[in-house]
Amino acid sequence: MSSGGLKDRNAETLEDVNAVTKELKYLYYKRLLPIEKQYGFQHFHSPSFEDADFDNKPMVLVMGQYSTGKTTFIRYLLEQDFPGSRVGPEPTTDSFTAIMHGEVEQLIPGNALSVDHKKPFRHLNSFGNTFLNRFQCALLPNQVLESISIIDTPGILSSAKKRMSRGYDFPAVLRWFAERVDHIILLFDAHKLEFSDELTRAFGALCGYEDKLRVVLNKADRVDSQQLMRVYGALMWSLGKVFQTPEILRVYIVSLWSQPRLLSDHCQLLELEELDLLEDIRNLPRNAAVRKLNDLVKRARLVRAHAHIISHLKQEMPTVFCKESKKQNLIYELPLIFSKIQQQQRVPAGDFPDCAKMQERLMGQDFTKFKTLKPSLMASLDKLLSNDIAKLMPLLHQQDLKKASLPGIPDGTFLETGRSLFEQVTKSGESREIQKDEWVVTKDKQKYDEIFYNLCPNEGKLSGTKAKEWMVSTHLPNSVLGHIWRLSDVDCDGMLDDEEFALAIHLIEAKLEGHGLPGELPAHLVPPSKRLHKGLAV
């Protein structure tokens, strides 16, 4: 598929997502929000939705203990650094960082974000200044961020540091984000697997959102196959104790960073797992509308149960005397009230909130101000669940048929036959006069030519298969090699001539020395014979 075709298909998908989102927003404001206000839903559960909650791009929450590779994983996806990022074996990330698309690189502090109605973070001000001082937004121009946003989190403290206080309710903040994001990437270190008290509390914040959870066992190239099998088994056993679900959580076994992998006897497994994980992330825009619809339905069911609870408590309250004692009795009998509402109103047990938390929140409420059921509002809610949502399903079906995915995420596969996987990278920038002797690869060209001709090119060009056999021997991740291929195949014919191959080796050596790769090929790296093709003067 050409790059233009991919762009058109992603544009069509975004149009479909926007159409579904617009309709969901209309239904929420018309049918659900009036009931939330009538029965004070925001005082017991999550705040009311705003435009930004519907309009924001799909979000990915990246979390895990410190030094598991969270920030490195994000840099791997973006193929560049982002403002405020630091990497190290110690807890380097001490803030929540929302990484979003922007025309210029900048950092926005948390207090400013909490009053920006265009960003979906306004309700975070309820966690206070201590948290807002540890929250920031990094804006940068990046192709991946045109379709998704990423939330980097502080490293979860180990047992040795469990007594340290953050100054804010860390699990509550995680739950706030978990409710709103599309994916939760939970990273573990394959050669340092540990479950601290804070990690266990963080798991509690994710309960109910297991469908969004993607567990990643990172740095798996640092252990041999026998150790990996034991670590994987220990991880699954520990996760099974925390998440009480009949389904087994999906665990990806990978080594996600842009440096050469250590030699191991399970390299092929790591490559296949990386492919699956990156494919899952690339599909986020396509699945965004489904997630928003699903979240709205879950919220509507909770609102319905909440309305019945509040109405029942109001009806049981006395008019004049013994109000406080009756209130205490009703709170104590709340489990029985839940059962009664289930039987009388036929509300499924799974729609009810956590009973203990509901009892705690009812303690500070004035029951005399509660409202009884309003038939017109409940009829509107029933229409939303029975009719309105069903009418949106054809739109979702059309969107699913297009199968578009997120551009810019590393490919995960490297050099299949043909050029379909590696479309031409669009080059930008002004043309300038470049002399042939300015090509920086020239000084090592003779050495590179020896490798090139030893690979037996056909009519002066190496096929993708032959080039792959040599390039994978560098042990760089496939996604990095794929990016190098896109940069080197300047004429996009799916093969490399001697200059393009020399350019590929030059980029590989630069990467092996720790340098970053450019997002697009700079003018001084374009082979002399290709400069007319690229619109550069020679």
Side-chain angles (χ1 to χ4, degrees):
M1 188 200 316
S2 68
S3 59
L6 179 64
K7 185 175 181 180
D8 290 342
R9 287 178 62 182
N10 277 285
E12 291 174 1
T13 298
L14 290 176
E15 289 177 4
D16 288 339
V17 171
N18 291 336
V20 175
T21 299
K22 184 177 180 180
E23 187 64 23
L24 288 176
K25 188 193 303 185
Y26 169 77
L27 292 174
Y28 174 75
Y29 287 133
K30 180 181 179 182
R31 303 207 184 278
L32 200 54
L33 184 58
I35 306 177
E36 291 184 11
K37 291 181 176 179
Q38 177 78 2
Y39 300 105
F41 182 84
Q42 70 278 9
H43 300 307
F44 296 87
H45 309 286
S46 57
S48 302
F49 285 164
E50 297 180 344
D51 286 350
D53 294 306
F54 290 97
D55 299 335
N56 68 300
K57 300 165 187 171
M59 291 194 293
V60 178
L61 180 69
V62 181
M63 57 179 291
Q65 290 183 294
Y66 75 90
S67 193
T68 54
K70 297 184 300 300
T71 303
T72 304
F73 169 61
I74 295 172
R75 289 167 56 181
Y76 175 76
L77 290 181
L78 302 181
E79 295 186 338
Q80 69 177 97
D81 288 327
F82 57 90
S85 65
R86 290 190 301 129
V87 175
E90 74 282 1
T92 53
T93 303
D94 61 351
S95 301
F96 281 82
T97 303
I99 307 159
M100 309 181 80
H101 184 267
E103 296 303 322
V104 295
E105 288 192 11
Q106 61 174 314
L107 274 175
I108 303 175
N111 283 287
L113 284 172
S114 67
V115 296
D116 187 352
H117 69 278
K118 294 182 180 180
K119 298 284 192 299
F121 306 120
R122 280 167 36 97
H123 295 298
L124 283 171
N125 55 18
S126 62
F127 294 105
N129 279 329
T130 305
F131 166 73
L132 293 177
N133 290 334
R134 289 286 181 267
F135 180 50
Q136 60 187 0
C137 178
L139 300 180
L140 68 155
N142 184 279
Q143 186 183 18
V144 173
L145 297 178
E146 291 177 3
S147 301
I148 66 171
S149 299
I150 302 174
I151 310 297
D152 192 13
T153 62
I156 295 174
L157 301 177
S158 65
S159 298
K161 299 178 176 62
K162 64 183 179 181
R163 296 185 182 275
M164 296 175 61
S165 174
R166 295 185 183 271
Y168 59 89
D169 192 341
F170 182 68
V173 174
L174 286 178
R175 187 165 186 83
W176 188 95
F177 278 108
E179 182 182 356
R180 290 159 176 80
V181 301
D182 296 77
H183 269 9
I184 303 170
I185 305 291
L186 179 58
L187 286 115
F188 290 93
D189 191 327
H191 72 289
K192 194 182 66 176
L193 189 63
E194 180 184 10
F195 279 69
S196 64
D197 292 346
E198 187 173 51
L199 182 61
T200 303
R201 291 194 298 271
F203 284 160
L206 304 180
C207 289
Y209 303 104
E210 290 86 357
D211 58 317
K212 302 179 181 182
L213 195 59
R214 305 292 185 271
V215 180
V216 175
L217 186 58
N218 200 17
K219 304 181 183 180
D221 60 332
R222 308 293 183 88
V223 297
D224 60 35
S225 295
Q226 185 180 28
Q227 292 172 320
L228 180 61
M229 180 182 66
R230 292 172 177 170
V231 170
Y232 178 80
L235 176 62
M236 296 301 294
W237 180 80
S238 300
L239 291 174
K241 291 174 60 180
V242 177
F243 296 105
Q244 303 294 329
T245 58
E247 300 84 8
I248 299 176
L249 291 174
R250 175 67 162 95
V251 177
Y252 297 92
I253 304 172
V254 297
S255 181
L256 291 175
W257 62 335
S258 298
Q259 300 300 319
R261 292 194 180 104
L262 298 180
L263 291 176
S264 64
D265 48 1
H266 49 267
C267 284
Q268 185 177 6
L269 171 65
L270 301 185
E271 291 177 1
L272 293 173
E273 291 285 278
E274 177 185 339
L275 188 153
D276 288 347
L277 176 60
L278 295 179
E279 182 67 19
D280 191 21
I281 297 174
R282 277 200 299 273
N283 287 333
L284 267 177
R286 187 179 66 200
N287 299 328
V290 178
R291 196 274 301 174
K292 290 178 180 179
L293 185 147
N294 183 60
D295 286 353
L296 186 68
V297 171
K298 287 170 60 177
R299 188 180 182 93
R301 290 179 174 276
L302 179 59
V303 168
R304 180 176 61 183
H306 175 80
H308 283 292
I309 294 168
I310 296 301
S311 174
H312 184 90
L313 295 176
K314 173 64 176 179
Q315 292 174 346
E316 293 294 320
M317 284 295 290
T319 307
V320 181
F321 301 108
C322 303
K323 293 182 180 180
E324 189 60 31
S325 60
K326 183 62 175 177
K327 170 185 172 180
Q328 297 300 324
N329 289 336
L330 288 172
I331 293 175
Y332 178 77
E333 296 173 355
L334 194 62
L336 298 177
I337 294 174
F338 279 16
S339 299
K340 186 181 296 185
I341 294 174
Q342 290 175 35
Q343 297 171 2
Q344 295 178 353
Q345 306 297 334
R346 296 186 177 180
V347 179
D351 292 354
F352 283 82
D354 182 87
C355 188
K357 292 181 179 179
M358 191 69 179
Q359 288 173 317
E360 181 182 347
R361 289 162 185 162
L362 283 169
M363 294 295 294
Q365 298 293 323
D366 184 355
F367 285 19
T368 60
K369 295 182 179 180
F370 288 172
K371 306 289 181 63
T372 56
L373 283 182
K374 194 172 182 180
S376 60
L377 290 178
M378 300 307 294
S380 179
L381 179 57
D382 289 339
K383 185 177 180 182
L384 168 69
L385 291 171
S386 59
N387 298 329
D388 295 333
I389 297 297
K391 293 178 181 178
L392 293 178
M393 298 311 295
L395 275 178
L396 294 175
H397 180 64
Q398 292 174 12
Q399 173 197 327
D400 190 57
L401 289 176
K402 294 179 181 176
K403 299 287 183 184
S405 60
L406 192 158
I409 291 289
D411 287 291
T413 56
F414 171 55
L415 230 57
E416 299 290 343
T417 56
R419 47 177 281 204
S420 60
L421 290 178
F422 304 104
E423 291 80 19
Q424 179 183 359
V425 178
T426 303
K427 311 298 189 298
S428 61
E430 298 180 358
S431 299
R432 64 181 181 87
E433 292 290 330
I434 302 175
Q435 301 301 323
K436 287 186 179 180
D437 57 6
E438 290 185 34
W439 195 36
V440 298
V441 185
T442 302
K443 58 183 174 58
D444 295 315
K445 179 70 162 53
Q446 185 175 356
K447 178 180 66 174
Y448 299 154
D449 282 348
E450 184 178 347
I451 301 174
F452 177 79
Y453 289 107
N454 283 337
L455 294 174
C456 303
N458 183 22
E459 297 182 357
K461 291 196 173 186
L462 282 178
S463 66
T465 302
K466 287 186 177 181
K468 174 183 178 179
E469 289 176 358
W470 184 87
M471 294 173 74
V472 296
S473 67
T474 64
H475 303 297
L476 284 172
N478 286 348
S479 54
V480 175
L481 294 176
H483 184 51
I484 291 174
W485 175 271
R486 289 192 295 270
L487 294 174
S488 303
D489 186 15
V490 181
D491 54 12
C492 291
D493 61 354
M495 296 182 288
L496 299 181
D497 61 21
D498 61 316
E499 289 184 335
E500 292 173 324
F501 185 75
L503 173 60
I505 300 180
H506 176 79
L507 294 173
I508 287 173
E509 289 183 347
K511 189 63 187 174
L512 290 172
E513 291 172 2
H515 301 289
L517 293 174
E520 53 189 35
L521 194 64
H524 68 278
L525 286 179
V526 177
S529 65
K530 303 295 189 295
R531 288 175 181 172
L532 288 177
H533 173 80
K534 303 306 296 179
L536 301 174
V538 295

